[in-house]
Amino acid sequence: MLHPAPLPERLTRLRRTLVMGVVNVTPDSFSDGGRWFEPDDAVAHGLALLAEGADVLDVGGESTRPGARRVPLDEEHRRVLPVIRALADAGAVVSVDTTRAEVAQAAVEAGALVVNDVSGGLADPAMYDVVARTGVVYVAMHWRGHADVMDDLAAYDDVVADVRDELASRLEAVVAAGARPEQVVLDPGLGFAKPGRDNWPLLAHLDALVGLGRPVLVGASRKRFLGHLLAGPDGAPVAPAARDRATAAVSALAAVAGAWCVRVHDVPGSADAVRVAHAWTAARSTGDHLQGTTQEGHESAPAG
Ligand code: PMM
């Protein structure tokens, strides 16, 4: 089941896995740094992603690539708020990618419906209060430390069980702070404090996270572990932009495994992939090999 409990209607009306398109308003993201750093360019990029089939746009003003330095608060505000306002005014479902409570609050006031916090609330003790007060959809990602230190925090006994248990603690903590469990989406945090080999078990055992009873978001797009997977004979990882077909393959597999949403830079490949997955899953559940292959399921989801 893709939507185990209520989220706003605009995020559940499609039965298939959603596609979240990335709008990085940063000069230095690993995958697309600098291309949409000016607000007008970022807005145009967001609108282009919508036209390509994105269901949600994730606007971020701080790079999380390994080793990245923090951006000052006012600079993060300056980068993301005009872009969020313009995209929300244009009718988009907008998510803000931030670890800061103040940015999350301002983004919700500017029209964001989702707060995507890669720290799962660990970077800013005021974040859960914003989530509880605003009632916004909250993506809590698995995280162990900021980009400058995360590569040193990658020791696991059993990566799947450890990530599942740490996410369960985040869910418990945000609910203890006053949020409703129905607001919360969980994310394994691929590539964050996880060397290449640790990302595959998390994907292969996505059911362990789906089993926590909340929607699951998967962010594999263009990440290092895909670059290494696709390396040529010299062992050098392929460049980020050459990882989009592999990203789409992960989107299809994650969707079949029950992911609620995939976060991607290249939308068309994953928009197709989640439709393939929907048809595949529908055919399995109905036993009718034709059903679900020609429509993507615009009827209302069982919103709980
Ligand atoms: N990955 C990046 C940034 N934000 N948010 C969520 N929820 N999950 C992710 O895996 C994730 C994220 C990596 O940075 P990028 O925007 O440069 O791809």
Side-chain angles (χ1 to χ4, degrees):
M1 191 200 291
L2 294 179
H3 311 300
L7 291 171
E9 202 272 335
R10 291 181 75 195
L11 293 171
T12 56
R13 70 181 187 278
L14 300 179
R15 281 192 182 166
R16 59 166 171 76
T17 299
L18 302 179
V19 177
M20 174 185 269
V22 178
V23 181
N24 279 329
V25 196
T26 56
D28 58 345
S29 285
F30 78 95
S31 51
D32 54 4
R35 291 187 62 189
W36 301 288
F37 191 43
E38 292 305 319
D40 287 352
D41 295 339
V43 172
H45 180 54
L47 296 175
L49 295 181
L50 281 184
E52 288 175 345
D55 303 300
V56 185
L57 298 176
D58 190 37
V59 179
E62 181 168 46
S63 169
T64 50
R65 85 185 143 72
R69 306 285 275 281
R70 301 239 43 205
V71 170
L73 173 66
D74 57 344
E75 172 67 7
E76 194 182 344
H77 270 286
R78 197 193 61 73
R79 290 182 186 181
V80 298
L81 292 181
V83 178
I84 290 170
R85 205 168 287 119
L87 291 173
D89 286 351
V93 176
V94 179
S95 160
V96 61
D97 188 342
T98 187
T99 60
R100 289 185 166 121
E102 280 185 64
V103 175
Q105 174 75 46
V108 170
E109 285 163 15
L113 293 180
V114 180
V115 171
N116 173 26
D117 177 0
V118 299
S119 84
L122 292 172
D124 186 340
M127 180 62 95
Y128 291 164
D129 185 47
V130 171
V131 176
R133 275 189 296 100
T134 59
V136 73
V137 173
Y138 179 61
V139 180
M141 199 193 80
H142 178 264
W143 185 87
R144 286 185 165 179
H146 284 290
D148 54 344
V149 294
M150 69 180 175
D151 284 347
D152 301 326
L153 302 169
Y156 299 91
D157 290 330
D158 171 336
V159 69
V160 176
D162 292 354
V163 167
R164 180 199 60 207
D165 293 350
E166 288 170 40
L167 282 177
S169 302
R170 294 297 92 222
L171 174 61
E172 217 175 282
V174 68
V175 170
R180 290 171 294 114
E182 292 76 18
Q183 286 172 249
V184 183
V185 172
L186 301 174
D187 180 333
L190 301 175
F192 286 79
K194 290 162 200 90
R197 64 177 180 280
D198 283 336
N199 293 285
W200 292 109
L202 285 166
L203 283 168
H205 297 282
L206 212 57
D207 53 324
L209 301 189
V210 173
L212 291 173
R214 299 304 316 141
V216 170
L217 187 149
V218 171
S221 187
R222 296 185 178 173
K223 289 202 172 153
R224 272 182 302 177
F225 73 100
L226 296 178
H228 285 290
L229 177 77
L230 303 175
D234 64 354
V238 300
R243 303 170 191 170
D244 285 335
R245 287 173 302 229
T247 299
V250 172
S251 293
L253 292 164
V256 168
W260 166 73
C261 183
V262 289
R263 178 185 182 279
V264 297
H265 302 87
D266 175 65
V267 164
S270 286
D272 286 357
V274 298
R275 283 163 176 78
V276 169
H278 178 68
W280 180 290
T281 307
R284 277 181 76 89
S285 62
T286 60
D288 175 347
H289 69 281
L290 291 177
Q291 188 160 344
T293 55
T294 57
Q295 58 185 18
E296 61 167 290
H298 272 281
E299 59 271 51
S300 292

PDB file of all heavy atoms in Angstrom, residues 169-197:
ATOM      1  N   SER A 169      13.032   6.060  16.126  1.00  0.00           N
ATOM      2  CA  SER A 169      13.250   7.014  17.222  1.00  0.00           C
ATOM      3  C   SER A 169      12.897   8.433  16.792  1.00  0.00           C
ATOM      4  O   SER A 169      12.357   9.216  17.577  1.00  0.00           O
ATOM      5  CB  SER A 169      14.707   7.033  17.673  1.00  0.00           C
ATOM      6  OG  SER A 169      15.091   5.775  18.084  1.00  0.00           O
ATOM      7  N   ARG A 170      13.231   8.783  15.554  1.00  0.00           N
ATOM      8  CA  ARG A 170      12.893  10.134  15.060  1.00  0.00           C
ATOM      9  C   ARG A 170      11.374  10.314  15.024  1.00  0.00           C
ATOM     10  O   ARG A 170      10.843  11.352  15.380  1.00  0.00           O
ATOM     11  CB  ARG A 170      13.455  10.356  13.643  1.00  0.00           C
ATOM     12  CG  ARG A 170      14.951  10.386  13.475  1.00  0.00           C
ATOM     13  CD  ARG A 170      15.591  11.526  14.218  1.00  0.00           C
ATOM     14  NE  ARG A 170      16.001  11.148  15.546  1.00  0.00           N
ATOM     15  CZ  ARG A 170      15.859  11.877  16.633  1.00  0.00           C
ATOM     16  NH1 ARG A 170      15.312  13.059  16.578  1.00  0.00           N
ATOM     17  NH2 ARG A 170      16.254  11.463  17.797  1.00  0.00           N
ATOM     18  N   LEU A 171      10.687   9.274  14.548  1.00  0.00           N
ATOM     19  CA  LEU A 171       9.216   9.328  14.475  1.00  0.00           C
ATOM     20  C   LEU A 171       8.636   9.512  15.877  1.00  0.00           C
ATOM     21  O   LEU A 171       7.768  10.367  16.099  1.00  0.00           O
ATOM     22  CB  LEU A 171       8.690   8.045  13.812  1.00  0.00           C
ATOM     23  CG  LEU A 171       7.174   7.857  13.765  1.00  0.00           C
ATOM     24  CD1 LEU A 171       6.498   8.983  12.983  1.00  0.00           C
ATOM     25  CD2 LEU A 171       6.827   6.498  13.100  1.00  0.00           C
ATOM     26  N   GLU A 172       9.166   8.741  16.794  1.00  0.00           N
ATOM     27  CA  GLU A 172       8.685   8.829  18.182  1.00  0.00           C
ATOM     28  C   GLU A 172       8.936  10.234  18.754  1.00  0.00           C
ATOM     29  O   GLU A 172       8.066  10.814  19.409  1.00  0.00           O
ATOM     30  CB  GLU A 172       9.471   7.818  19.010  1.00  0.00           C
ATOM     31  CG  GLU A 172       8.685   7.111  20.096  1.00  0.00           C
ATOM     32  CD  GLU A 172       9.588   6.067  20.736  1.00  0.00           C
ATOM     33  OE1 GLU A 172       9.769   4.995  20.125  1.00  0.00           O
ATOM     34  OE2 GLU A 172      10.137   6.337  21.820  1.00  0.00           O
ATOM     35  N   ALA A 173      10.103  10.779  18.444  1.00  0.00           N
ATOM     36  CA  ALA A 173      10.470  12.089  19.010  1.00  0.00           C
ATOM     37  C   ALA A 173       9.605  13.212  18.444  1.00  0.00           C
ATOM     38  O   ALA A 173       9.174  14.104  19.179  1.00  0.00           O
ATOM     39  CB  ALA A 173      11.949  12.374  18.747  1.00  0.00           C
ATOM     40  N   VAL A 174       9.343  13.169  17.148  1.00  0.00           N
ATOM     41  CA  VAL A 174       8.545  14.262  16.560  1.00  0.00           C
ATOM     42  C   VAL A 174       7.096  14.174  17.039  1.00  0.00           C
ATOM     43  O   VAL A 174       6.437  15.186  17.292  1.00  0.00           O
ATOM     44  CB  VAL A 174       8.689  14.320  15.011  1.00  0.00           C
ATOM     45  CG1 VAL A 174       8.068  13.157  14.308  1.00  0.00           C
ATOM     46  CG2 VAL A 174       8.110  15.624  14.468  1.00  0.00           C
ATOM     47  N   VAL A 175       6.621  12.965  17.239  1.00  0.00           N
ATOM     48  CA  VAL A 175       5.254  12.790  17.758  1.00  0.00           C
ATOM     49  C   VAL A 175       5.207  13.226  19.234  1.00  0.00           C
ATOM     50  O   VAL A 175       4.263  13.895  19.667  1.00  0.00           O
ATOM     51  CB  VAL A 175       4.783  11.328  17.559  1.00  0.00           C
ATOM     52  CG1 VAL A 175       3.485  11.066  18.302  1.00  0.00           C
ATOM     53  CG2 VAL A 175       4.600  11.048  16.060  1.00  0.00           C
ATOM     54  N   ALA A 176       6.257  12.911  19.972  1.00  0.00           N
ATOM     55  CA  ALA A 176       6.306  13.341  21.382  1.00  0.00           C
ATOM     56  C   ALA A 176       6.317  14.864  21.477  1.00  0.00           C
ATOM     57  O   ALA A 176       5.850  15.443  22.466  1.00  0.00           O
ATOM     58  CB  ALA A 176       7.541  12.757  22.060  1.00  0.00           C
ATOM     59  N   ALA A 177       6.830  15.537  20.424  1.00  0.00           N
ATOM     60  CA  ALA A 177       6.868  17.005  20.431  1.00  0.00           C
ATOM     61  C   ALA A 177       5.536  17.607  20.006  1.00  0.00           C
ATOM     62  O   ALA A 177       5.412  18.834  19.935  1.00  0.00           O
ATOM     63  CB  ALA A 177       7.983  17.486  19.513  1.00  0.00           C
ATOM     64  N   GLY A 178       4.561  16.767  19.667  1.00  0.00           N
ATOM     65  CA  GLY A 178       3.226  17.291  19.369  1.00  0.00           C
ATOM     66  C   GLY A 178       2.748  17.124  17.946  1.00  0.00           C
ATOM     67  O   GLY A 178       1.623  17.510  17.619  1.00  0.00           O
ATOM     68  N   ALA A 179       3.594  16.574  17.067  1.00  0.00           N
ATOM     69  CA  ALA A 179       3.149  16.348  15.685  1.00  0.00           C
ATOM     70  C   ALA A 179       2.273  15.100  15.629  1.00  0.00           C
ATOM     71  O   ALA A 179       2.348  14.234  16.515  1.00  0.00           O
ATOM     72  CB  ALA A 179       4.355  16.173  14.769  1.00  0.00           C
ATOM     73  N   ARG A 180       1.441  15.014  14.586  1.00  0.00           N
ATOM     74  CA  ARG A 180       0.645  13.805  14.389  1.00  0.00           C
ATOM     75  C   ARG A 180       1.490  12.813  13.582  1.00  0.00           C
ATOM     76  O   ARG A 180       2.192  13.224  12.644  1.00  0.00           O
ATOM     77  CB  ARG A 180      -0.636  14.127  13.615  1.00  0.00           C
ATOM     78  CG  ARG A 180      -1.652  14.936  14.415  1.00  0.00           C
ATOM     79  CD  ARG A 180      -2.796  15.410  13.531  1.00  0.00           C
ATOM     80  NE  ARG A 180      -2.345  16.364  12.528  1.00  0.00           N
ATOM     81  CZ  ARG A 180      -2.345  16.153  11.218  1.00  0.00           C
ATOM     82  NH1 ARG A 180      -2.807  15.029  10.725  1.00  0.00           N
ATOM     83  NH2 ARG A 180      -1.897  17.067  10.389  1.00  0.00           N
ATOM     84  N   PRO A 181       1.419  11.538  13.875  1.00  0.00           N
ATOM     85  CA  PRO A 181       2.185  10.573  13.081  1.00  0.00           C
ATOM     86  C   PRO A 181       1.858  10.680  11.595  1.00  0.00           C
ATOM     87  O   PRO A 181       2.721  10.468  10.742  1.00  0.00           O
ATOM     88  CB  PRO A 181       1.736   9.206  13.621  1.00  0.00           C
ATOM     89  CG  PRO A 181       0.999   9.461  14.884  1.00  0.00           C
ATOM     90  CD  PRO A 181       0.632  10.913  14.949  1.00  0.00           C
ATOM     91  N   GLU A 182       0.609  11.066  11.280  1.00  0.00           N
ATOM     92  CA  GLU A 182       0.166  11.156   9.878  1.00  0.00           C
ATOM     93  C   GLU A 182       0.927  12.210   9.084  1.00  0.00           C
ATOM     94  O   GLU A 182       0.888  12.219   7.859  1.00  0.00           O
ATOM     95  CB  GLU A 182      -1.334  11.489   9.806  1.00  0.00           C
ATOM     96  CG  GLU A 182      -2.249  10.396  10.305  1.00  0.00           C
ATOM     97  CD  GLU A 182      -2.276  10.298  11.821  1.00  0.00           C
ATOM     98  OE1 GLU A 182      -1.869  11.267  12.496  1.00  0.00           O
ATOM     99  OE2 GLU A 182      -2.669   9.236  12.330  1.00  0.00           O
ATOM    100  N   GLN A 183       1.608  13.128   9.781  1.00  0.00           N
ATOM    101  CA  GLN A 183       2.382  14.152   9.077  1.00  0.00           C
ATOM    102  C   GLN A 183       3.722  13.614   8.575  1.00  0.00           C
ATOM    103  O   GLN A 183       4.384  14.262   7.768  1.00  0.00           O
ATOM    104  CB  GLN A 183       2.701  15.321  10.020  1.00  0.00           C
ATOM    105  CG  GLN A 183       1.561  16.232  10.347  1.00  0.00           C
ATOM    106  CD  GLN A 183       1.969  17.217  11.433  1.00  0.00           C
ATOM    107  OE1 GLN A 183       1.489  17.136  12.554  1.00  0.00           O
ATOM    108  NE2 GLN A 183       2.869  18.149  11.120  1.00  0.00           N
ATOM    109  N   VAL A 184       4.157  12.478   9.086  1.00  0.00           N
ATOM    110  CA  VAL A 184       5.572  12.107   8.953  1.00  0.00           C
ATOM    111  C   VAL A 184       5.823  11.105   7.828  1.00  0.00           C
ATOM    112  O   VAL A 184       5.103  10.113   7.677  1.00  0.00           O
ATOM    113  CB  VAL A 184       6.101  11.533  10.289  1.00  0.00           C
ATOM    114  CG1 VAL A 184       7.586  11.216  10.197  1.00  0.00           C
ATOM    115  CG2 VAL A 184       5.834  12.502  11.433  1.00  0.00           C
ATOM    116  N   VAL A 185       6.849  11.404   7.048  1.00  0.00           N
ATOM    117  CA  VAL A 185       7.366  10.533   5.989  1.00  0.00           C
ATOM    118  C   VAL A 185       8.793  10.165   6.394  1.00  0.00           C
ATOM    119  O   VAL A 185       9.510  11.009   6.938  1.00  0.00           O
ATOM    120  CB  VAL A 185       7.366  11.290   4.631  1.00  0.00           C
ATOM    121  CG1 VAL A 185       8.084  10.495   3.555  1.00  0.00           C
ATOM    122  CG2 VAL A 185       5.944  11.653   4.208  1.00  0.00           C
ATOM    123  N   LEU A 186       9.200   8.935   6.153  1.00  0.00           N
ATOM    124  CA  LEU A 186      10.547   8.498   6.547  1.00  0.00           C
ATOM    125  C   LEU A 186      11.418   8.246   5.317  1.00  0.00           C
ATOM    126  O   LEU A 186      10.905   7.878   4.250  1.00  0.00           O
ATOM    127  CB  LEU A 186      10.444   7.230   7.406  1.00  0.00           C
ATOM    128  CG  LEU A 186       9.619   7.390   8.692  1.00  0.00           C
ATOM    129  CD1 LEU A 186       9.447   6.042   9.383  1.00  0.00           C
ATOM    130  CD2 LEU A 186      10.266   8.410   9.637  1.00  0.00           C
ATOM    131  N   ASP A 187      12.724   8.425   5.484  1.00  0.00           N
ATOM    132  CA  ASP A 187      13.647   8.356   4.348  1.00  0.00           C
ATOM    133  C   ASP A 187      14.960   7.725   4.832  1.00  0.00           C
ATOM    134  O   ASP A 187      15.526   8.195   5.829  1.00  0.00           O
ATOM    135  CB  ASP A 187      13.876   9.790   3.837  1.00  0.00           C
ATOM    136  CG  ASP A 187      14.824   9.884   2.659  1.00  0.00           C
ATOM    137  OD1 ASP A 187      15.702   9.021   2.502  1.00  0.00           O
ATOM    138  OD2 ASP A 187      14.710  10.854   1.899  1.00  0.00           O
ATOM    139  N   PRO A 188      15.469   6.700   4.144  1.00  0.00           N
ATOM    140  CA  PRO A 188      16.698   6.037   4.613  1.00  0.00           C
ATOM    141  C   PRO A 188      17.957   6.880   4.487  1.00  0.00           C
ATOM    142  O   PRO A 188      19.002   6.516   5.037  1.00  0.00           O
ATOM    143  CB  PRO A 188      16.801   4.798   3.713  1.00  0.00           C
ATOM    144  CG  PRO A 188      16.017   5.143   2.488  1.00  0.00           C
ATOM    145  CD  PRO A 188      14.902   6.054   2.954  1.00  0.00           C
ATOM    146  N   GLY A 189      17.906   8.002   3.753  1.00  0.00           N
ATOM    147  CA  GLY A 189      19.081   8.867   3.681  1.00  0.00           C
ATOM    148  C   GLY A 189      20.236   8.230   2.922  1.00  0.00           C
ATOM    149  O   GLY A 189      21.377   8.200   3.405  1.00  0.00           O
ATOM    150  N   LEU A 190      19.961   7.764   1.728  1.00  0.00           N
ATOM    151  CA  LEU A 190      21.006   7.105   0.927  1.00  0.00           C
ATOM    152  C   LEU A 190      22.185   8.062   0.742  1.00  0.00           C
ATOM    153  O   LEU A 190      22.002   9.239   0.437  1.00  0.00           O
ATOM    154  CB  LEU A 190      20.440   6.678  -0.435  1.00  0.00           C
ATOM    155  CG  LEU A 190      19.255   5.707  -0.361  1.00  0.00           C
ATOM    156  CD1 LEU A 190      18.695   5.442  -1.763  1.00  0.00           C
ATOM    157  CD2 LEU A 190      19.647   4.394   0.303  1.00  0.00           C
ATOM    158  N   GLY A 191      23.382   7.542   0.954  1.00  0.00           N
ATOM    159  CA  GLY A 191      24.591   8.347   0.766  1.00  0.00           C
ATOM    160  C   GLY A 191      24.967   9.221   1.945  1.00  0.00           C
ATOM    161  O   GLY A 191      26.067   9.769   1.990  1.00  0.00           O
ATOM    162  N   PHE A 192      24.082   9.389   2.912  1.00  0.00           N
ATOM    163  CA  PHE A 192      24.385  10.228   4.075  1.00  0.00           C
ATOM    164  C   PHE A 192      24.951   9.346   5.190  1.00  0.00           C
ATOM    165  O   PHE A 192      24.233   8.530   5.768  1.00  0.00           O
ATOM    166  CB  PHE A 192      23.123  10.927   4.585  1.00  0.00           C
ATOM    167  CG  PHE A 192      22.657  12.061   3.712  1.00  0.00           C
ATOM    168  CD1 PHE A 192      21.959  11.811   2.541  1.00  0.00           C
ATOM    169  CD2 PHE A 192      22.917  13.382   4.063  1.00  0.00           C
ATOM    170  CE1 PHE A 192      21.525  12.855   1.733  1.00  0.00           C
ATOM    171  CE2 PHE A 192      22.488  14.428   3.264  1.00  0.00           C
ATOM    172  CZ  PHE A 192      21.792  14.158   2.094  1.00  0.00           C
ATOM    173  N   ALA A 193      26.221   9.520   5.488  1.00  0.00           N
ATOM    174  CA  ALA A 193      26.910   8.652   6.450  1.00  0.00           C
ATOM    175  C   ALA A 193      26.765   7.192   6.029  1.00  0.00           C
ATOM    176  O   ALA A 193      26.586   6.308   6.871  1.00  0.00           O
ATOM    177  CB  ALA A 193      26.392   8.861   7.875  1.00  0.00           C
ATOM    178  N   LYS A 194      26.802   6.958   4.719  1.00  0.00           N
ATOM    179  CA  LYS A 194      26.692   5.582   4.215  1.00  0.00           C
ATOM    180  C   LYS A 194      27.614   5.404   3.029  1.00  0.00           C
ATOM    181  O   LYS A 194      27.375   5.986   1.972  1.00  0.00           O
ATOM    182  CB  LYS A 194      25.249   5.280   3.785  1.00  0.00           C
ATOM    183  CG  LYS A 194      24.312   5.193   4.977  1.00  0.00           C
ATOM    184  CD  LYS A 194      22.883   5.328   4.588  1.00  0.00           C
ATOM    185  CE  LYS A 194      22.049   5.719   5.777  1.00  0.00           C
ATOM    186  NZ  LYS A 194      21.923   7.184   5.973  1.00  0.00           N
ATOM    187  N   PRO A 195      28.652   4.604   3.196  1.00  0.00           N
ATOM    188  CA  PRO A 195      29.496   4.305   2.040  1.00  0.00           C
ATOM    189  C   PRO A 195      28.716   3.451   1.039  1.00  0.00           C
ATOM    190  O   PRO A 195      27.674   2.885   1.383  1.00  0.00           O
ATOM    191  CB  PRO A 195      30.662   3.528   2.642  1.00  0.00           C
ATOM    192  CG  PRO A 195      30.205   3.060   3.979  1.00  0.00           C
ATOM    193  CD  PRO A 195      29.082   3.945   4.421  1.00  0.00           C
ATOM    194  N   GLY A 196      29.245   3.371  -0.177  1.00  0.00           N
ATOM    195  CA  GLY A 196      28.537   2.701  -1.269  1.00  0.00           C
ATOM    196  C   GLY A 196      27.867   1.401  -0.896  1.00  0.00           C
ATOM    197  O   GLY A 196      26.664   1.217  -1.124  1.00  0.00           O
ATOM    198  N   ARG A 197      28.611   0.499  -0.254  1.00  0.00           N
ATOM    199  CA  ARG A 197      28.080  -0.843  -0.027  1.00  0.00           C
ATOM    200  C   ARG A 197      26.864  -0.840   0.896  1.00  0.00           C
ATOM    201  O   ARG A 197      26.048  -1.755   0.858  1.00  0.00           O
ATOM    202  CB  ARG A 197      29.157  -1.762   0.567  1.00  0.00           C
ATOM    203  CG  ARG A 197      29.600  -1.319   1.929  1.00  0.00           C
ATOM    204  CD  ARG A 197      30.605  -2.239   2.593  1.00  0.00           C
ATOM    205  NE  ARG A 197      30.957  -1.693   3.895  1.00  0.00           N
ATOM    206  CZ  ARG A 197      31.819  -0.715   4.090  1.00  0.00           C
ATOM    207  NH1 ARG A 197      32.442  -0.166   3.057  1.00  0.00           N
ATOM    208  NH2 ARG A 197      32.057  -0.245   5.305  1.00  0.00           N
TER     209      ARG A 197
END
